[in-house]
Amino acid sequence: MTPDVGPREAALRVTNLHKAFGSLDVLRGISLAAHEHDVIAIMGASGSGKSTLLRCINLLDVPDAGEVHVRGELIHMSFDRRGQRTPANPHQVDRIRTRLGMVFQRFNLWSHMTVLQNIVEAPIRVLGVPRRRAIEQADHLLRKVGLYDKRDDFPAHLSGGQEQRAAIARALAMEPEVLLLDEPTSALDPELVGEVLKVIDDLAAEGRTMLIVTHEIGFARAVSSRTVFLHQGMVKEHGPSRQILDEPRSERFRRFLSGGNWGRPALTTPSQTGESETP
Amino acid sequence: MTLDLHGYGWMLWRGLGLTILVGLGAMGLAVTFGLIGAWGKLSRYRVARWLADTYTTVIRGVPELILILLVYYGVPTLIQDLAASAGRDLRVDLNPFVAGIATIGLIYGAFATEVFRGAFQAVPRGQIEAARAFGMGRVLMLRRVVLPQMWRFALPGLGNVWMVLIKATALISVIQLEELMRSADIAARATRLPFTFFFAASLFYLGITIASMLIQRRIESWSYRGAPRGQS
Ligand SMILES: Nc1ncnc2c1ncn2[C@@H]1O[C@H](COP(=O)(O)OP(=O)(O)OP(=O)(O)O)[C@@H](O)[C@H]1O
Ligand SMILES: [Mg+2]
């Protein structure tokens, strides 16, 4: 995929990303760009490197080659004494990470903190937002994701869907420029998927820039502007979601969409995501 | 039946006080050594790992009594010899109270090292990654995410270390510190009633243990706020 060079700086631009774990080449030259308000769905079989791609973007994994720009700012890399590629400036990485919200498959809420504490922690400690303002903002976000009544509960006392909504609120509290979501619903019981998809749908409607790894084909069609299909470490297919999800060009993607090579049936049909007649 | 202590009761109480003091001091030291040791064992640096492994291996391999005697008699000698070889005449006497705390702390620090190592590793990786993903630096992450949860996992193990440690303080009676064990011994010799005094001493130790268990339960239920239900 050639990076599309837009008139404006892309919110996020990934160029020629490579990552191997030992002899396993997971990413073999991935490029993509997300402009402001883009919602990009990332699909691919299990093990195709979707999580690794997101983790390389915020440097939880260090890519072996390639560049990441966040609104034009390049994350600088260098090599350590043993010749390992490593961020040149850890402070830059920390700062960039505050601009990239991350939502994990398994939520990863801090279990010793209440929902509210989870949400205000990084704004207060990392961004230096005054406590009162952080709490006001957290309460606003909690209402938005429908968790205000759970604000003083600990994560262990929430359902999976509630945990994931809390995790989304936690990411939003950083006011990130781009939100990275790694299979936000695949650890949830089927009946809890809808409530989380609804929240993400609302974010898309607000014009949030998002990269969403998902297996929910109906959801991707309804919510994402573009879809990227990863196969064997490369972008096998990409394009406007409606177009390529309805008419996949490659045989590989067609098989993936029909569930042929994917052990799990798609959980959600467009009607289940409900309120998403808007595009 | 009441226990007639023939006027030596005050001595046992004083010994009890000293035992608890030595125990608390040694525990504080053990926790400190334990944190450092666990940090060493989990370190990226090979030297740190090697030092920490050597520490726990040596402590586990040598009887506690010998370590106590080594520290109490050996360290002053060592210092004097070193001073002598530097041409200085130095007379060092180790206070048995300090020597006792230092040795017991050193010994149980090795056990605390293992407790803390396990506890650090029990902190869910995903929560550490979340901290990194939110731009927390190493120190902030350690302080706000890792340590608070690590304590929760370490508490049961530390409780065990404390129970064993408080009993092990009886060993330092060999360096003339009049803690509970030595007080009982002195009283037993003076009155020729060994059973009475050792039985009384054992009740004191048991009392400490029971009180410790109650306190530990309190602390644990407090620290388990928010832990998954099955865990608490
Ligand atoms: N830290 C690691 N060390 C070694 N191998 C890894 C590591 N992380 C990922 N891998 C391997 O890299 C490959 C891609 O993993 P990744 O998690 O990115 O896949 P994925 O597309 O997200 O899959 P899934 O749909 O199952 O989440 C897998 O084969 C995985 O085993
Ligand atoms: Mg994954």
Side-chain angles (χ1 to χ4, degrees):
Chain A
M1 178 175 180
T2 40
D4 29 350
V5 181
R8 292 167 296 131
E9 252 338 318
L12 176 70
R13 182 184 301 282
V14 167
T15 318
N16 199 24
L17 219 56
H18 283 75
K19 178 69 183 175
F21 293 109
S23 61
L24 181 68
D25 283 323
V26 178
L27 303 180
R28 299 190 299 150
I30 305 259
S31 300
L32 60 84
H35 292 279
E36 216 160 317
H37 312 310
D38 274 355
V39 178
I40 300 182
I42 299 169
M43 297 195 156
S46 183
S48 58
K50 307 178 296 295
S51 298
T52 306
L53 172 59
L54 290 196
R55 295 169 55 84
C56 281
I57 289 173
N58 68 3
L59 275 294
L60 286 179
D61 284 331
V62 181
D64 301 328
E67 292 179 344
V68 176
H69 286 86
V70 178
R71 186 146 316 161
E73 180 178 348
L74 172 69
I75 304 181
H76 295 283
M77 304 295 290
S78 67
F79 293 89
D80 68 11
R81 275 174 307 154
R82 278 178 295 176
Q84 288 280 336
R85 200 161 184 262
T86 173
N89 177 359
H91 297 296
Q92 186 201 19
V93 173
D94 285 345
R95 193 165 44 71
I96 294 264
R97 281 172 176 160
T98 65
R99 298 163 59 191
L100 301 171
M102 182 92 172
V103 174
F104 298 86
Q105 185 173 4
R106 307 216 53 97
F107 335 128
N108 296 346
L109 292 171
W110 297 305
S111 57
H112 59 301
M113 297 182 192
T114 63
V115 169
L116 181 69
Q117 287 166 342
N118 263 278
I119 296 174
V120 299
E121 176 68 17
I124 293 174
R125 307 272 166 181
V126 179
L127 299 181
V129 176
R131 172 170 294 273
R132 276 208 22 221
R133 227 184 66 219
I135 292 177
E136 276 168 24
Q137 186 205 19
D139 283 342
H140 168 74
L141 290 169
L142 281 167
R143 282 198 196 88
K144 185 156 138 178
V145 301
L147 278 183
Y148 186 72
D149 55 327
K150 300 286 180 191
R151 78 200 273 274
D152 297 316
D153 284 13
F154 286 97
H157 298 159
L158 303 182
S159 73
Q162 291 167 336
E163 278 193 86
Q164 192 59 296
R165 284 183 284 147
I168 292 172
R170 176 175 68 166
L172 292 175
M174 300 293 280
E175 300 183 337
E177 291 159 43
V178 181
L179 209 49
L180 310 171
L181 301 100
D182 189 1
E183 299 196 43
T185 59
S186 63
L188 301 178
D189 291 337
E191 71 271 20
L192 301 177
V193 168
E195 64 191 57
V196 172
L197 292 186
K198 170 77 174 65
V199 167
I200 299 171
D201 194 17
D202 291 345
L203 297 180
E206 272 173 23
R208 295 262 175 192
T209 313
M210 297 192 275
L211 258 58
I212 312 177
V213 173
T214 184
H215 293 298
E216 312 283 347
I217 295 163
F219 173 72
R221 185 192 280 108
V223 168
S224 67
S225 43
R226 286 187 294 139
T227 293
V228 169
F229 176 62
L230 298 188
H231 180 57
Q232 295 180 342
M234 313 242 251
V235 175
K236 180 80 176 170
E237 197 161 336
H238 72 97
S241 297
R242 300 222 150 171
Q243 188 182 319
I244 71 164
L245 287 169
D246 290 339
E247 289 164 45
R249 290 186 298 266
S250 67
E251 178 55 28
R252 199 63 202 66
F253 194 25
R254 198 185 335 259
R255 278 224 309 276
F256 174 82
L257 289 176
S258 64
N261 215 18
W262 175 249
R264 254 180 36 172
L267 287 173
T268 327
T269 57
S271 64
Q272 244 178 304
T273 60
E275 298 73 10
S276 44
E277 297 95 48
T278 34
Chain B
M1 176 195 110
T2 51
L3 217 49
D4 181 5
L5 296 176
H6 298 270
Y8 279 94
W10 62 273
M11 205 171 160
L12 291 194
W13 283 105
R14 207 190 51 187
L16 176 74
L18 206 50
T19 288
I20 291 175
L21 270 185
V22 171
L24 289 177
M27 189 66 192
L29 208 57
V31 166
T32 311
F33 283 139
L35 284 172
I36 296 171
W39 173 81
K41 290 214 168 194
L42 298 172
S43 168
R44 281 175 294 178
Y45 304 106
R46 204 175 332 150
V47 189
R49 287 201 303 271
W50 183 85
L51 281 173
D53 284 338
T54 309
Y55 168 48
T56 53
T57 309
V58 168
I59 296 294
R60 268 192 284 198
V62 180
E64 300 167 358
L65 198 53
I66 298 186
L67 285 170
I68 291 169
L69 295 173
L70 269 179
V71 170
Y72 186 60
Y73 295 112
V75 170
T77 316
L78 192 71
I79 295 176
Q80 282 162 27
D81 287 357
L82 281 178
S85 67
R88 299 264 201 97
D89 193 18
L90 201 67
R91 170 111 190 94
V92 187
D93 263 326
L94 220 51
N95 172 335
F97 181 72
V98 172
I101 287 181
T103 323
I104 300 282
L106 190 70
I107 294 169
Y108 287 91
F111 294 92
T113 294
E114 299 299 346
V115 170
F116 282 129
R117 180 179 50 174
F120 272 119
Q121 286 174 325
V123 177
R125 285 227 43 91
Q127 294 185 32
I128 294 173
E129 295 211 318
R132 294 172 62 205
F134 279 77
M136 289 193 193
R138 293 177 66 88
V139 177
L140 190 60
M141 177 173 88
L142 197 70
R143 196 159 59 82
R144 298 292 304 172
V145 176
V146 178
L147 285 178
Q149 297 206 57
M150 186 280 288
W151 282 110
R152 175 189 289 176
F153 296 114
L155 276 175
L158 288 182
N160 272 335
V161 169
W162 164 255
M163 307 277 180
V164 188
L165 176 150
I166 199 71
K167 290 195 289 176
T169 57
L171 290 171
I172 59 175
S173 58
V174 299
I175 54 174
Q176 323 297 327
L177 187 70
E178 281 185 30
E179 42 65 71
L180 183 51
M181 174 67 195
R182 182 149 174 86
S183 304
D185 191 41
I186 292 172
R189 284 167 201 272
T191 57
R192 297 175 188 273
L193 290 170
F195 177 80
T196 305
F197 283 97
F198 289 128
F199 182 68
S202 65
L203 289 182
F204 277 83
Y205 280 113
L206 194 60
I208 298 178
T209 304
I210 290 171
S212 306
M213 279 163 63
L214 293 177
I215 294 170
Q216 187 186 358
R217 205 168 300 163
R218 276 280 171 103
I219 299 178
E220 280 182 13
S221 68
W222 169 78
S223 81
Y224 278 153
R225 288 163 311 143
R229 275 176 219 134
Q231 237 174 286
S232 47

